[in-house]
Amino acid sequence: MDLKKVMIFGVPFLHITMDQFVETINEHVEKNEKIQIITANPEIVMKAKEDSYYKDLLIKATYVTPDGIGIVKASEILGDPLPERVAGYDTMIRFLELANKHNYSIYLLGAMEEILKGAIHTIETQYPNVKIVGSHNGYFDWNDPSIPNEIIKRQPDFIFVALGMPRQEKWISYHFHKFDKGIFMGVGGSFDVLSGTIKRAPLVWQKLNLEWLYRLMKQPSRAKRMVALPKFAYEVIREKVTRKNE
Ligand code: UDP
């Protein structure tokens, strides 16, 4: 299927709603296909703008979706609007719901052992039909073949990789050729949220598109990383002005 893409600074974002995306992914699962998904936020787009390594990761992925309101707003300003956010944590939850409905299997890779255990406990409790066929914490020797071998053996439908960006994308790209099937997705800090260690912003904040501010208040150490946001906004406006003058 040829789905429409919206280019933002050379990054091809999928023009799709969350519901359509879940449906599309379900079709891939039914056909036992192999897919890589990257949910990209402004910080990642800014990195890709300056770093060809990041850009390559994004271009090679099967699907890139907009992680955050910043990307959606940018697409509106640049005149080719994306329908909505298809963000990492929300997408993982939708996939867990899908897996629960169809008895799909999953493999979890990443986070600290206790966090991983907590995430597994939440999934077992809230999505009882999901088959967790394997898991490993995120602190391992990259040369040890046992994790990819385990995935090859267990054939999970979904492989959620929570090593942070770009580590998780790097891990997926590096091993991708070894696998026959599976929906591979980097999910950042999602296991931390699933385990209850990190709380998401209350719904009102999410609805007001202020989740980023909530996270900043809870984890002030993120401030350095968030410098990418105003830089991104500036670049989007500059791009718009440049296009207008052309
Ligand atoms: N993490 C990991 N292995 C590593 C580095 C990080 O498993 O070598 C985990 C970390 O424990 C956390 C997750 O990756 O659970 C997300 O980290 P971060 O918040 O940096 O990622 P982001 O949400 O920014 O993508």
Side-chain angles (χ1 to χ4, degrees):
M1 203 188 334
D2 224 5
L3 295 160
K4 186 187 163 189
K5 309 272 168 72
V6 172
M7 301 302 283
I8 299 180
F9 300 131
V11 178
F13 282 94
L14 198 58
H15 185 279
I16 205 162
T17 64
M18 177 66 98
D19 286 347
Q20 290 165 339
F21 189 53
V22 174
E23 212 172 287
T24 303
I25 294 303
N26 192 32
E27 285 166 19
H28 289 303
V29 177
E30 283 173 347
K31 290 186 206 148
N32 282 322
E33 284 169 345
K34 187 169 74 167
I35 299 292
Q36 184 185 2
I37 301 166
I38 301 183
T39 64
N41 60 19
E43 189 191 349
I44 289 165
V45 175
M46 285 310 284
K47 284 220 170 93
K49 212 167 172 281
E50 286 144 21
D51 184 335
S52 61
Y53 173 75
Y54 265 84
K55 197 163 190 170
D56 247 40
L57 281 179
L58 289 157
I59 289 169
K60 284 188 188 140
T62 324
Y63 298 130
V64 181
T65 67
D67 193 330
I69 194 66
I71 301 289
V72 175
K73 288 280 171 220
S75 70
E76 285 167 14
I77 292 168
L78 297 173
D80 199 356
L82 288 161
E84 62 181 344
R85 279 189 294 181
V86 180
Y89 180 75
D90 300 333
T91 309
M92 181 176 175
I93 295 298
R94 290 292 300 264
F95 289 169
L96 287 173
E97 286 166 9
L98 184 76
N100 195 43
K101 191 170 159 200
H102 298 283
N103 301 302
Y104 290 153
S105 58
I106 67 169
Y107 185 98
L108 302 170
L109 175 61
M112 287 184 291
E113 189 62 30
E114 282 312 301
I115 304 251
L116 176 64
K117 278 193 190 140
I120 289 172
H121 177 73
T122 305
I123 295 170
E124 284 172 343
T125 318
Q126 294 182 13
Y127 310 95
N129 300 325
V130 173
K131 284 180 268 173
I132 305 176
V133 293
S135 65
H136 199 287
N137 66 53
Y139 299 88
F140 55 88
D141 176 2
W142 281 44
N143 294 316
D144 179 357
S146 63
I147 295 173
N149 284 346
E150 183 77 357
I151 295 173
I152 293 167
K153 199 168 119 199
R154 304 269 172 198
Q155 300 272 306
D157 296 307
F158 288 90
I159 302 88
F160 298 112
V161 186
L163 304 173
M165 173 80 184
R167 219 178 272 111
Q168 57 203 22
E169 278 69 29
K170 214 167 149 184
W171 189 90
I172 295 171
S173 303
Y174 186 68
H175 296 288
F176 203 57
H177 70 278
K178 299 176 185 167
F179 309 118
D180 299 327
K181 64 165 266 186
I183 310 298
F184 290 78
M185 180 166 94
V187 294
S190 295
F191 296 179
D192 300 71
V193 181
L194 271 170
S195 70
T197 314
I198 289 181
K199 297 260 177 297
R200 270 198 89 180
L203 220 56
V204 201
W205 289 67
Q206 290 182 39
K207 289 222 167 98
L208 290 171
N209 294 321
L210 286 174
E211 189 160 17
W212 61 273
L213 182 60
Y214 183 86
R215 289 178 82 182
L216 181 61
M217 282 159 56
K218 291 277 169 192
Q219 288 174 275
S221 58
R222 295 181 74 91
K224 215 172 124 215
R225 293 175 47 178
M226 284 192 163
V227 173
L229 278 173
K231 271 196 195 157
F232 177 72
Y234 172 78
E235 289 293 332
V236 170
I237 290 161
R238 206 170 72 147
E239 172 79 8
K240 172 145 173 116
V241 172
T242 313
R243 284 192 197 172
K244 225 177 180 173
N245 292 339
E246 272 169 8

